Amino acid sequence: MEQLTINSMQFAEILGIGKTLFYSLKSEGKLPRPLSFGSRVLWNRKEVEKWLDYNCPNQNKWENMKKEISC
């Protein structure tokens, strides 16, 4: 069964970066908006794949783009 969500370490691994750089990018708004479940922060795997296909736009641009594409 395919995993529907990924955590920050899995996301960083997909990007090929370490956790420090990952959290810097997250705090700078350069990653897609995560899903929050209490203290858990996760990302939709399909959205991350689509975000990568669209050359990793910053969070604001991505939110606008998502309105026009299917994620």
Side-chain angles (χ1 to χ4, degrees):
M1 179 189 281
E2 184 179 3
Q3 186 178 0
L4 300 177
T5 59
I6 56 173
N7 63 32
S8 57
M9 292 299 91
Q10 291 167 315
F11 195 175
E13 187 175 306
I14 289 169
L15 297 175
I17 60 175
K19 66 180 183 178
T20 302
L21 178 55
F22 179 85
Y23 286 116
S24 291
L25 294 173
K26 182 178 176 286
S27 70
E28 293 170 6
K30 294 184 178 177
L31 301 176
R33 191 175 316 278
L35 309 168
S36 295
F37 300 99
S39 63
R40 295 203 56 179
V41 177
L42 302 170
W43 284 263
N44 177 302
R45 178 181 283 282
K46 295 276 187 204
E47 181 180 352
V48 168
E49 291 169 356
K50 189 70 83 168
W51 176 77
L52 289 166
D53 289 343
Y54 281 85
N55 298 315
C56 312
N58 69 43
Q59 192 177 83
N60 290 332
K61 185 173 182 180
W62 178 243
E63 289 299 317
N64 289 327
M65 291 174 74
K66 283 189 347 183
K67 295 172 188 173
E68 298 177 20
I69 60 175
S70 174
C71 282

